């Protein structure tokens, strides 16, 4: 596979959490009774078989178990899912298999079980390295537990990433820089660093509306963003995507499938996919409510509720939206092939003239550092 080849990924969604974080708008659910692991393993493997029949003969370059909290899955459930994938498709020799984990649900024996099942990369939801902010973010772990989980992950898995959230209430650039430097002391070769956003339907949105939660203003948020990029680049972890930093060669291959507009299967409650079938590229989505998803799979063999054939314009807009998030940008020739159109030359010239995008000698369009700061506006301008 070439350096910028998208690959073929499998995303599996485990929807259950021990608690709902107040900032989270992901499809996650808290249940008083633990899920029947064997029943869920059967349903997930059945759904895998269904999609394998739709897109046979692919070579899987990445598997991502996301959530929710996949570290609440029994190692046997994870093993059954990975075995099912390997039974229906060929796994690349260097396949990346990532499992998301929360520090509060990390146990040494469970981690060893995941590793034995085939997981070779863990992404830890650390989010902050101070206890006061962890509490306000609704996290169930403290800093000591987070650092213990990081150490255990480094001992158990070949690859490790962890997430941090910045632009938290009352956060200063100085405090965030100190926290990020501490994170670097424990990081392996990848960090995901996200700006806190207020999402509708969350507890934080309610508090924000009432004036009880105040996030940094736009200028401070921009300063935090610049400080993040500068510090991590100086530490040898440049941003390869808006919110993701890695030592070169340690990028998350699964997320690159999305950003390079590759093909991926989405299985599990609320999971989305992009499948290339005989008539074109399809956007798929599964039933969001876990119990309904389970019932659908048990009665009809899959949990799919959405299967839309994308128009060329829709595909072009998606590739633009995803590709410009990458430092490498997108391939203009591939954009024309996907969308059946060229980007407006006058708009490209205007954005180039203002130093917001550039076209490389090998025909790639990418945002400049100044452009990344207003990427949404650039994408909207080019897609219009």
């Amino acid at each position: 596979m070439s350096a910028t080849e998208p690959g073929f990924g499998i995303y599996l969604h485990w929807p259950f959490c021990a608690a709902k974080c107040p900032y989270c708008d992901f499809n996650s659910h808290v249940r008083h009774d633990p899920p029947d692991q064997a029943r869920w393993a059967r349903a997930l493997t059945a759904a895998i078989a269904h999609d394998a029949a739709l897109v046979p003969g692919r070579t899987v370059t990445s598997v991502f178990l996301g959530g929710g909290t996949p570290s609440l899955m029994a190692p046997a459930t994870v093993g059954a899912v990975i075995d099912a994938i390997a039974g229906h498709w060929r796994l690349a020799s260097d396949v990346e298999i990532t499992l998301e984990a929360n520090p509060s649900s990390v146990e040494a024996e469970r981690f060893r079980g995941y590793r034995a099942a085939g997981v070779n990369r863990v992404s830890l939801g650390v989010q902050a390295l101070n206890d006061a902010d962890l509490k306000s973010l609704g996290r169930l772990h403290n800093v000591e537990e987070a650092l213990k989980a990081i150490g255990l992950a480094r001992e158990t898995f070949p690859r490790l990433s962890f997430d941090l959230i910045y632009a938290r209430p009352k956060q200063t650039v100085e405090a965030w820089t100190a926290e990020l430097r501490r994170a670097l002391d424990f990081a392996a070769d990848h960090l995901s660093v996200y700006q806190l956003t207020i999402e509708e339907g969350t507890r934080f949105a309610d508090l924000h509306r009432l004036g009880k939660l105040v996030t940094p203003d736009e200028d401070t948020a921009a300063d935090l963003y610049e400080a993040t990029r500068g510090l991590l680049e100086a530490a040898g972890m440049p941003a390869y995507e808006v919110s993701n930093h890695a030592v070169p060669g340690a990028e998350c291959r699964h997320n690159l499938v999305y950003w390079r507009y590759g093909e991926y299967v989405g299985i599990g409650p609320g999971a989305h996919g992009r499948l290339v079938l005989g008539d074109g590229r399809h956007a798929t989505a599964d039933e969001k409510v876990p119990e309904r998803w389970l019932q659908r799979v048990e009665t009809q063999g899959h949990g799919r509720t959405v299967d839309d054939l994308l128009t060329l314009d829709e595909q072009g807009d998606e590739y633009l939206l995803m590709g410009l998030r990458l430092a490498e940008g997108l391939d203009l020739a591939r954009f024309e092939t996907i969308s059946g159109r060229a980007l407006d030359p006058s708009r490209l010239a205007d954005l180039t003239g203002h130093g917001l995008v550039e076209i490389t000698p090998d025909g790639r369009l990418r945002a400049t550092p100044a452009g990344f700061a207003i990427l949404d506006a650039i994408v909207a301008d080019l897609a219009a």
Side-chain angles (χ1 to χ4, degrees), residues 11-17 20 24-31 40 44 66-68 199-202 266-273 284-297 300 302-306:
Y11 176 79
L12 290 120
H13 191 79
W14 184 259
F16 303 109
C17 282
K20 183 75 173 180
C24 176
D25 70 336
F26 289 172
N27 188 40
S28 58
H29 302 262
V30 178
R31 297 290 186 263
W40 274 87
L44 288 165
E199 304 291 350
E200 281 303 316
T202 64
I267 288 172
H272 289 254
T284 69
D286 279 14
E287 163 63 48
K288 292 182 73 170
V289 178
E291 293 77 12
R292 290 182 196 161
W293 182 88
L294 200 59
Q295 188 174 32
R296 274 180 173 271
V297 177
Q300 63 189 37
H302 64 86
R304 192 123 310 141
T305 54
V306 175

Side-chain angles (χ1 to χ4, degrees), residues 135-158:
K135 186 175 181 180
S136 70
L137 289 168
R139 306 303 288 174
L140 299 179
H141 63 274
N142 58 29
V143 173
E144 182 182 353
E145 290 167 328
L147 297 180
K148 181 181 176 183
I150 290 169
L152 185 61
R154 294 194 70 159
E155 291 173 9
T156 312
F157 300 97

Side-chain angles (χ1 to χ4, degrees), residues 232-300:
L232 292 180
E233 184 166 348
M237 274 193 194
Y240 68 95
E241 187 270 345
V242 173
S243 302
N244 285 273
H245 300 253
V247 173
E251 299 85 359
C252 176
R253 293 178 211 156
H254 185 79
N255 285 340
L256 285 173
V257 173
Y258 302 147
W259 297 319
R260 289 173 174 166
Y261 206 48
E263 189 181 10
Y264 55 96
V265 170
I267 288 172
H272 289 254
R274 291 294 182 273
L275 303 178
V276 179
L277 306 180
D279 57 349
R281 181 178 286 258
H282 288 240
T284 69
D286 279 14
E287 163 63 48
K288 292 182 73 170
V289 178
E291 293 77 12
R292 290 182 196 161
W293 182 88
L294 200 59
Q295 188 174 32
R296 274 180 173 271
V297 177
E298 291 174 341
T299 56
Q300 63 189 37

Side-chain angles (χ1 to χ4, degrees), residues 24-147:
C24 176
D25 70 336
F26 289 172
N27 188 40
S28 58
H29 302 262
V30 178
R31 297 290 186 263
H32 294 298
D33 296 321
D36 183 333
Q37 295 271 343
R39 186 181 177 193
W40 274 87
R42 288 192 297 271
L44 288 165
T45 55
I48 288 166
H50 172 270
D51 278 13
L54 293 177
V55 284
R58 308 293 201 269
T59 296
V60 176
T61 55
S62 64
V63 177
F64 197 100
L65 294 101
T69 306
S71 51
L72 295 176
M73 297 173 78
T77 306
V78 173
V81 164
I82 294 172
D83 287 348
I85 292 169
H88 289 288
W89 292 285
R90 190 178 79 83
L91 299 186
S93 59
D94 61 347
V95 65
E96 173 190 272
I97 303 179
T98 300
L99 180 136
E100 288 184 330
N102 278 340
S104 56
S105 58
V106 164
E107 298 169 1
E109 185 177 354
R110 186 178 287 258
F111 262 21
R112 285 193 291 269
Y114 295 146
R115 182 70 189 105
V119 174
N120 55 25
R121 183 178 182 273
V122 160
S123 178
L124 282 171
V126 171
Q127 314 310 5
L129 286 177
N130 75 70
D131 285 338
D133 280 1
L134 283 171
K135 186 175 181 180
S136 70
L137 289 168
R139 306 303 288 174
L140 299 179
H141 63 274
N142 58 29
V143 173
E144 182 182 353
E145 290 167 328
L147 297 180

